[in-house]
C-alpha cells in the first residue's frame, strides 16, 4: 500500500497538497466564526450531488417537467428526500451567504489585499441567486411558473434591449418548452460551471492571503486540522440536521407526507393570484410596489444596481478613516431594510383576502392533482395540467362560483366555500336529484323556502301549490306512495352516491314509477318515460342524469323543461355563455361524478 | 505559507478524539446526500415488468393456413414512468398457420441484440438487418454462423371464440441462450 501511495505521491504530490489543505494556519486558533465559508462549500457539495441525481429523473418540457418531479416526489423510493435536500439546501445557502457576508464585513476581511476575494464572493452570491431563480421554475408548478413569469417580465423594463433580452431568456415570445430547456441549461450547466470556476478562485485567493484573524487573538495560532476542521464539521452537521428536521417535520408532527410541497402543474390559462417569489426575494417584490408605472426600472435595476455597486466598493471605502464603520453600518441597514420589507410583504399578504383565497385554492388544486396523477388512469401524454382542466371536482365549483351563484347556492356557499355577494334567489343545488333533495322539494314546509323555489317565480307556481296544498293533506298511505315516487325519480339520475342503494331497491323503484303515473298525481303536469304533449312541467325522464342536466343547463326554457315559465335562468349552452365541456363539468360536479375524494371540502387538509 | 505555531490544546489524547470526531462527522456529511442520491439512482432495480396477459392480435381470417408468417402489431396498455397509455402498440409478432393448421407466434425481436427481424419471402427466412442472424420459418436458427444465441422467441398463442387469435406477448433478455422474460 505504502509503495502505491509513494508512487502516486511522486507523480501527483498529494502529500504536500494534503498537508497544505489540512495544515493551513489558523491565526489565534480555531473559532466558530470562521466556519461560515466551510458550511457554504458543504451546501454547494450537497447541491452538486443531489442535483446530479435529480437530473437523472428530470425531464424539462412543459408536458414532462411537473410530471417527472411528481414522479420523483411520489413514485421513486426516497425521491422526496433527494428533492427535499436539494430544495432546502438552496434555502440554507441563502441564509449562510448572508451570514458569511456579514462576518466578512464585520471582521474587515474585505480589505486590501483581499479585494479580489471579496469581489469573487459577490459574484458567487449573484450566481447563487441565479441558481435559485432558475431552479424555482423547474418543477413547472403554478407557483414557480407565475413567480418566474413576473420576475422575467421585469426584464422587459430594461431600456432599449429589454424586450429582446426577455425573448432570449424565455426562448421565444411565450413561456413553454424552451423556457424550461434554457432555465435547465442555466441551472445545471452554465451557472454551476461558473460557480466552480469562481469558487476555485475564491478559495485559492483565501488560501493565498490566509484567514483574517479576529483580533485580539485569544490563543496561539493553530493548524486547520483538527480543531478548526472539527468546528467546521459540527457547523455543517448543524445545517444538515436542521434541513433534515424541516423535511421530516410534517411526519413527526403528524400532518402530512414528509418533504416539500409540489404545487399544481403550471397552467398559463389559470390565473394564479398566489404568485410570489421565494422568501429571499420578497423584499425586492415588496420594494417594487413603491415604484409606479414607468419608474419600475428604478426599483428593479437602478437602485439594486447602485446598492450592489456600493457593496463592491467596500474595500475602497474601508481604507478611509470611519470607512469600515460605514460599511458595517451600511450592510446592517440594508439587511434590516430587507427584513422590514419582507415583513411588510408577508403582513400585506396575510390581510389580503384575494391572496389568502388563492393560496387556499392552490393548496386544494395541488392536493387534487396529486390524487388524480396517482389514479389508475395516470397522467396523460398531454400532461398533468389536463387532469385538472378536465376534473369536475376542480372545475365544477369554479364555474359554479363564477356563473351560478348570482342566484344559486351549493350547501349554502358558492361551491368553493366562499360567501357570494348576491343574495340567494334560487335553489341550493347541493345533492340535487338525490332522495334527500327531492324529499325536501316535496316537503310542504320546505318547498317555499329559498333553498327550493321560494325566491323564484315558481314560488307561486303550480308545483309549490301542489305541494303546500295537496301533499300537505296526504294521508299516511299516500305519503308512503310519495316516498316511493321520490325513490323512483331520484333513481333516474343514477347518482354515484346512490348507485348501491338503487341497485338494491329495483322493485321499490319499479313500484314508484307506477305510482308516478297513477297514484300521487305527478303525471298531471310532468312527462315520464313517454311523451306527453299536455305536460306543463319539466319532463322527468332521466331527471338529474348527466344528459338531462346538460340539456337543462344549456337551455332551461326548452319545451322539455320550463318552456315559457322559465324564470331568470339563462340558456348557458344555447347562448354560448358556457362551452359544452364546461356545462358537462358542472353537471358532473353537481352529480358527484368524479374520481376519488368525497368533496372539495375533503381536499382541504 | 508560514509554519503555524503548534498549540498543544489539551494534549494528544484530546487531539486524537477530535480527529476521530471530525472524520466521523465528515463521513456523515458525505454519506447523507450521497445515500439519498444513490437510493434514487437504484430505484429502477425494484421495478418489474407488469405481467402481461394475452392480447387479441388478429382474427383467423387474416391468417391463411399457408405456412407463411405475417407480421401484426400488438396493441396493449403501456406504462412509461409517469405516463400511462391505453391501447398503444407495444411490439409486434409474426404469426403463421401451417398447412397442418397449427398456429405459431414469434416475437419479431432478434434475440441477439434486439433489432426487429424481417421476413424474406424469397429465401423463406427471417433475416436480422443488424448482424445478419437468420432464422427458419419456425423460428429456429437457420445458419450456424448467426450471432444469435437462440432462435426467435416463440410466444403462447391460442384461438378464442373460434376465430380470435390471442397472443401472450412478452419480451425476453437479449444475448442469452435461454429465454428469460424481462
Amino acid at each position: 500500500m505504502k509503495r502505491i501511495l509513494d508512487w502516486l505521491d511522486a507523480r501527483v504530490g498529494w502529500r504536500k497538497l494534503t498537508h497544505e489543505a489540512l495544515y493551513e494556519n489558523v491565526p489565534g486558533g480555531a473559532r466558530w466564526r470562521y466556519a461560515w465559508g466551510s458550511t457554504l462549500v458543504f451546501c454547494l457539495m450537497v447541491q452538486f450531488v443531489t442535483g446530479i441525481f435529480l437530473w437523472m429523473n428530470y425531464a424539462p418540457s412543459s408536458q414532462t417537467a411537473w410530471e417527472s418531479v411528481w414522479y420523483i416526489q411520489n413514485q421513486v423510493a426516497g425521491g422526496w428526500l433527494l428533492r427535499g435536500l436539494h430544495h432546502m439546501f438552496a434555502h440554507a445557502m441563502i441564509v449562510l451567504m448572508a451570514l458569511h457576508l456579514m462576518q466578512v464585513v464585520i471582521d474587515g476581511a474585505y480589505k486590501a489585499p483581499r479585494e479580489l476575494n471579496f469581489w469573487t464572493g459577490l459574484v458567487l452570491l449573484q450566481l447563487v441567486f441565479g441558481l435559485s431563480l432558475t431552479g424555482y421554475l423547474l418543477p413547472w408548478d403554478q407557483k414557480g411558473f407565475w413567480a418566474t413569469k413576473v420576475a422575467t417580465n421585469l426584464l422587459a423594463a430594461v431600456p432599449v434591449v429589454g424586450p429582446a433580452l426577455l425573448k432570449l431568456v424565455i426562448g421565444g415570445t411565450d413561456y413553454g418548452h424552451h423556457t424550461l430547456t434554457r432555465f435547465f441549461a442555466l441551472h445545471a450547466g452554465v451557472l454551476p460551471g461558473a460557480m466552480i470556476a469562481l469558487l476555485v478562485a475564491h478559495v485559492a485567493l483565501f488560501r493565498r492571503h490566509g484567514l483574517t484573524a479576529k483580533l485580539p487573538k485569544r490563543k496561539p495560532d493553530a493548524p486547520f486540522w483538527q480543531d478548526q476542521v472539527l468546528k467546521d464539521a459540527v457547523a455543517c452537521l448543524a445545517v444538515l440536521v436542521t434541513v433534515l428536521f424541516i423535511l421530516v417535520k410534517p411526519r413527526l408532527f403528524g400532518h402530512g407526507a414528509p418533504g416539500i410541497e409540489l404545487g399544481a402543474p403550471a397552467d398559463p390559462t389559470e390565473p394564479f393570484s398566489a404568485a410570489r417569489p421565494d422568501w429571499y426575494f420578497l423584499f425586492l417584490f415588496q420594494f417594487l410596489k413603491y415604484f409606479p408605472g414607468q419608474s419600475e426600472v428604478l426599483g428593479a435595476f437602478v437602485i439594486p444596481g447602485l446598492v450592489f455597486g456600493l457593496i463592491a466598493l467596500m474595500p475602497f471605502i474601508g481604507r478611509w478613516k470611519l470607512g469600515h464603520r460605514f460599511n458595517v453600518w451600511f450592510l446592517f441597514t440594508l439587511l434590516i431594510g430587507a427584513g422590514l420589507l419582507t415583513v411588510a410583504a408577508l403582513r400585506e399578504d396575510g390581510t389580503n383576502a384575494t391572496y389568502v383565497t388563492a393560496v387556499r385554492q392552490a393548496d386544494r388544486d395541488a392536493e387534487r392533482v396529486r390524487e388524480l396523477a396517482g389514479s389508475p388512469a395516470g397522467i396523460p401524454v398531454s400532461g398533468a395540467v389536463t387532469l385538472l382542466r378536465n376534473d369536475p371536482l376542480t372545475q365544477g365549483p369554479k364555474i359554479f362560483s363564477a356563473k351560478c351563484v348570482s342566484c344559486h347556492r351549493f350547501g349554502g356557499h358558492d361551491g368553493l366555500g366562499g360567501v357570494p355577494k348576491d343574495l340567494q334567489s334560487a335553489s341550493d343545488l347541493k345533492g340535487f336529484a338525490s332522495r334527500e333533495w327531492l324529499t325536501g322539494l316535496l316537503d310542504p314546509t320546505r318547498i317555499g323556502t329559498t333553498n327550493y323555489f321560494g325566491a323564484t317565480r315558481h314560488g307561486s307556481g303550480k308545483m309549490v301549490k301542489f305541494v303546500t296544498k295537496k301533499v300537505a293533506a296526504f294521508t299516511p298511505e299516500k305519503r308512503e306512495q310519495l316516498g316511493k315516487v321520490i325513490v323512483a325519480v331520484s333513481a333516474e339520475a343514477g347518482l354515484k352516491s346512490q348507485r348501491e342503494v338503487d341497485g338494491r331497491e329495483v322493485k321499490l323503484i319499479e313500484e314508484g314509477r307506477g305510482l308516478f303515473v297513477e297514484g300521487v298525481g305527478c303525471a298531471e303536469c310532468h312527462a315520464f318515460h313517454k311523451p306527453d304533449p299536455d305536460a306543463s312541467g319539466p319532463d322527468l325522464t332521466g331527471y338529474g342524469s348527466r344528459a338531462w342536466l346538460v340539456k337543462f343547463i344549456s337551455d332551461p326554457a326548452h319545451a322539455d323543461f320550463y318552456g315559457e315559465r322559465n324564470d331568470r335562468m339563462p340558456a348557458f349552452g344555447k347562448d354560448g355563455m358556457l362551452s359544452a365541456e364546461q356545462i358537462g363539468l358542472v353537471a358532473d360536479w353537481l352529480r358527484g361524478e368524479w374520481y376519488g375524494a368525497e368533496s372539495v371540502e375533503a381536499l382541504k387538509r | 505559507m508560514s509554519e503555524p505555531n503548534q498549540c498543544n490544546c489539551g494534549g494528544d489524547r484530546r487531539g486524537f478524539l477530535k480527529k476521530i470526531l471530525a472524520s466521523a462527522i465528515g463521513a456523515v456529511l458525505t454519506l447523507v446526500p450521497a445515500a439519498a442520491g444513490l437510493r434514487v439512482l437504484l430505484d429502477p432495480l425494484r421495478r418489474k415488468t407488469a405481467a402481461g396477459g394475452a392480447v387479441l392480435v388478429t382474427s383467423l381470417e387474416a391468417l391463411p393456413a399457408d405456412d407463411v408468417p405475417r407480421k401484426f402489431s400488438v396493441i396493449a396498455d403501456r406504462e412509461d414512468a409517469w405516463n400511462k397509455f391505453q391501447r398503444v402498440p407495444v411490439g409486434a409478432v409474426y404469426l403463421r398457420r401451417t398447412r397442418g393448421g397449427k398456429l405459431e407466434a414469434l416475437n419479431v425481436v432478434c434475440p441477439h441484440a434486439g433489432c426487429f427481424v424481417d421476413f424474406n419471402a424469397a429465401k423463406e427466412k427471417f433475416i436480422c438487418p443488424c448482424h445478419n442472424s437468420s432464422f427458419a420459418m419456425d423460428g429456429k436458427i437457420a445458419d450456424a454462423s448467426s450471432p444469435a444465441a437462440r432462435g426467435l422467441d416463440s410466444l403462447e398463442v391460442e384461438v378464442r371464440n373460434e376465430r380470435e387469435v390471442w397472443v401472450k406477448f412478452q419480451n425476453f433478455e437479449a444475448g442469452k441462450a435461454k429465454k428469460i422474460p424481462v
Side-chain angles (χ1 to χ4, degrees):
Chain A
M1 188 68 190
K2 189 173 178 302
R3 273 183 61 198
I4 298 172
L5 292 177
D6 288 344
W7 181 88
L8 204 63
D9 190 40
R11 279 142 192 90
V12 182
W14 64 269
R15 286 205 173 97
K16 186 163 174 281
L17 284 175
T18 320
H19 189 271
E20 271 181 28
L22 289 180
Y23 295 92
E24 156 86 12
N25 183 39
V26 180
R31 294 185 70 157
W32 288 108
R33 65 193 302 132
Y34 301 150
W36 299 119
S38 295
T39 59
L40 279 167
V41 173
F42 168 61
C43 287
L44 196 66
M45 181 206 86
V46 173
Q47 293 305 70
F48 272 103
V49 172
T50 52
I52 283 172
F53 286 111
L54 282 171
W55 190 346
M56 293 180 196
N57 292 272
Y58 177 71
S61 86
S62 49
Q63 268 116 48
T64 57
W66 186 91
E67 291 72 7
S68 56
V69 175
W70 171 83
Y71 192 75
I72 293 169
Q73 184 81 15
N74 298 295
Q75 304 289 309
V76 174
W80 66 270
L81 179 64
L82 184 66
R83 177 168 172 253
L85 284 174
H86 196 73
H87 180 98
M88 286 313 302
F89 266 96
H91 289 270
M93 270 187 102
I94 306 273
V95 177
L96 294 168
M97 245 172 18
L99 292 168
H100 186 45
L101 179 66
M102 275 163 66
Q103 180 243 330
V104 163
V105 172
I106 293 169
D107 288 358
Y110 58 88
K111 290 183 198 167
R114 296 186 177 86
E115 299 95 329
L116 279 170
N117 237 352
F118 185 64
W119 292 330
T120 47
L122 289 183
V123 181
L124 280 165
L125 186 135
Q126 299 275 32
L127 288 175
V128 170
F129 277 137
L131 282 161
S132 302
L133 194 82
T134 47
Y136 201 54
L137 176 76
L138 297 181
W140 202 245
D141 57 356
Q142 281 284 70
K143 199 170 87 168
F145 177 84
W146 289 96
T148 308
K149 193 164 176 172
V150 174
T152 48
N153 266 325
L154 287 176
L155 273 179
V158 175
V160 192
V161 293
L165 204 58
L166 179 63
K167 271 192 193 173
L168 283 178
V169 168
I170 67 172
T173 52
D174 213 349
Y175 295 77
H177 294 321
H178 272 159
T179 320
L180 276 167
T181 51
R182 277 165 188 251
F183 270 58
F184 188 49
L186 284 173
H187 186 81
V190 179
L191 296 174
M195 210 142 179
I196 293 175
L198 272 153
L199 191 69
V200 167
H202 193 68
V203 174
L205 286 167
F206 160 73
R207 285 291 162 124
R208 181 178 158 81
H209 299 298
L211 251 167
T212 309
K214 176 70 184 164
L215 299 173
K217 292 184 186 177
R218 289 181 192 161
K219 289 177 188 166
D221 288 6
F224 187 52
W225 177 250
Q226 67 276 4
D227 286 11
Q228 187 62 46
V229 172
L230 180 61
K231 284 197 161 62
D232 287 6
V234 170
C236 294
L237 188 66
V239 176
L240 180 66
V241 169
T242 309
V243 163
L244 288 174
F245 174 73
I246 293 171
L247 288 176
V248 298
K249 201 176 69 176
R251 176 145 295 173
L252 288 181
F253 297 106
H255 42 85
I260 47 152
E261 60 168 1
L262 174 64
D267 187 346
T269 62
E270 188 76 38
F272 187 68
S273 315
R276 293 290 180 270
D278 232 337
W279 62 267
Y280 42 82
F281 284 132
L282 269 183
F283 76 96
L284 202 56
F285 163 82
Q286 181 69 12
F287 190 57
L288 287 179
K289 290 186 190 165
Y290 308 120
F291 291 86
Q294 297 297 306
S295 63
E296 196 162 50
V297 69
L298 267 181
F301 300 101
V302 179
I303 295 176
L306 287 175
V307 166
F308 208 76
L310 200 62
I311 295 177
L313 290 176
M314 278 184 179
F316 301 118
I317 300 168
R319 285 183 189 174
W320 296 322
K321 207 177 163 190
L322 294 178
H324 177 63
R325 279 198 184 172
F326 169 82
N327 285 340
V328 175
W329 171 86
F330 179 66
L331 186 70
F332 270 85
T333 314
L334 215 58
L335 289 174
I336 290 169
L340 289 176
L341 283 168
T342 309
V343 171
L346 292 173
R347 288 181 75 167
E348 223 170 273
D349 281 343
T351 54
N352 178 346
T354 316
Y355 175 78
V356 173
T357 314
V359 169
R360 211 170 48 214
Q361 183 158 333
D363 288 347
R364 199 155 60 198
D365 284 352
E367 183 84 357
R368 177 65 178 156
V369 76
R370 210 168 59 188
E371 184 173 24
L372 290 172
S375 76
I379 301 173
V381 188
S382 53
V385 68
T386 51
L387 289 176
L388 282 183
R389 282 186 193 156
N390 300 332
D391 176 35
L393 184 58
T394 306
Q395 302 304 334
K398 286 183 190 169
I399 300 168
F400 186 82
S401 72
K403 301 283 184 184
C404 312
V405 295
S406 53
C407 304
H408 289 286
R409 287 294 178 277
F410 185 86
H413 56 79
D414 67 351
L416 290 165
V419 182
K421 60 179 196 304
D422 297 301
L423 278 177
Q424 181 180 356
S425 64
S427 51
D428 189 312
L429 295 173
K430 186 171 185 184
F432 176 73
S434 65
R435 292 178 181 189
E436 203 186 340
W437 195 88
L438 284 174
T439 306
L441 179 74
L442 289 158
D443 181 340
T445 61
R446 283 156 75 189
I447 187 166
T449 64
T450 31
N451 278 344
Y452 288 99
F453 285 138
T456 71
R457 221 172 107 179
H458 308 294
S460 55
K462 280 186 180 176
M463 181 73 184
V464 175
K465 278 182 193 144
F466 169 76
V467 175
T468 49
K469 298 225 168 78
K470 291 199 177 162
V471 173
F474 271 4
T475 59
E477 188 198 353
K478 276 258 182 183
R479 216 175 281 278
E480 200 194 319
Q481 289 182 345
L482 183 68
K484 290 174 182 170
V485 171
I486 287 172
V487 168
V489 173
S490 184
E492 293 289 302
L495 296 177
K496 195 171 154 188
S497 57
Q498 290 180 181
R499 214 158 278 166
E500 203 191 330
V501 62
D502 283 349
R504 268 203 320 265
E505 300 179 349
V506 180
K507 273 187 111 175
L508 193 68
I509 293 165
E510 205 51 53
E511 210 181 322
R513 278 187 184 168
L515 289 165
F516 184 99
V517 184
E518 299 198 9
V520 291
C522 303
E524 283 171 28
C525 299
H526 295 284
F528 195 57
H529 287 285
K530 63 176 181 207
D532 179 1
D534 302 329
S536 54
D539 187 337
L540 297 184
T541 315
Y543 173 78
S545 65
R546 188 179 199 273
W548 190 94
L549 255 179
V550 165
K551 201 173 157 192
F552 183 90
I553 298 167
S554 301
D555 185 12
H558 187 278
D560 286 349
F561 304 113
Y562 289 130
E564 287 171 357
R565 287 190 182 80
N566 183 40
D567 191 3
R568 294 145 293 159
M569 179 143 165
F572 284 102
K574 203 175 124 199
D575 294 345
M577 296 165 77
L578 286 173
S579 69
E581 290 77 31
Q582 287 175 311
I583 293 175
L585 286 166
V586 174
D588 285 339
W589 172 64
L590 287 174
R591 290 169 36 73
E593 201 67 52
W594 59 70
Y595 173 79
E598 291 289 298
S599 66
V600 184
E601 284 80 15
L603 286 176
K604 287 181 210 153
R605 263 182 270 184
Chain B
M1 198 195 307
S2 60
E3 265 305 303
N5 308 320
Q6 298 284 346
C7 92
N8 188 10
C9 316
D12 283 348
R13 180 183 289 183
R14 217 170 127 195
F16 179 72
L17 281 175
K18 280 181 178 175
K19 280 177 189 170
I20 296 285
L21 196 57
S23 307
I25 297 175
V28 171
L29 296 178
T30 319
L31 282 176
V32 170
L38 285 173
R39 186 148 174 238
V40 168
L41 176 75
L42 298 178
D43 178 75
L45 294 181
R46 65 184 193 102
R47 311 229 165 237
K48 292 191 185 85
T49 334
V55 283
L56 172 63
V57 174
T58 183
S59 66
L60 281 180
E61 286 82 9
L63 208 60
D66 59 1
D67 276 348
V68 180
R70 289 173 175 79
K71 194 156 116 181
F72 295 91
S73 290
V74 175
I75 310 288
D77 293 347
R78 196 169 83 87
E79 211 176 312
D80 183 0
W82 53 86
N83 282 138
K84 283 180 182 151
F85 305 87
Q86 269 157 11
R87 300 201 43 75
V88 289
V90 292
V93 288
Y94 275 109
L95 289 176
R96 72 167 191 152
R97 233 179 346 152
T98 61
R99 293 206 165 85
K102 207 179 137 213
L103 197 58
E104 289 176 355
L106 296 169
N107 196 325
V108 299
V109 173
C110 177
H112 171 228
C115 298
F116 269 29
V117 298
D118 299 317
F119 179 65
N120 187 318
K123 293 184 184 163
E124 296 197 331
K125 273 182 192 165
F126 293 100
I127 313 274
C128 179
C130 296
H131 307 99
N132 300 332
S133 287
S134 65
F135 308 91
M137 291 216 283
D138 61 1
K140 293 203 177 73
I141 292 177
D143 181 349
S145 64
S146 291
R150 63 173 188 265
L152 288 175
D153 296 313
S154 59
L155 300 168
E156 285 173 36
V157 57
E158 62 173 353
V159 176
R160 293 185 190 174
N161 303 322
E162 293 180 5
R163 53 184 292 273
E164 298 166 6
V165 180
W166 291 70
V167 175
K168 190 178 177 219
F169 184 73
Q170 266 183 304
N171 284 310
F172 302 87
E173 285 181 20
K176 308 249 169 70
K178 273 180 77 179
K179 263 170 80 180
I180 306 165
V182 286

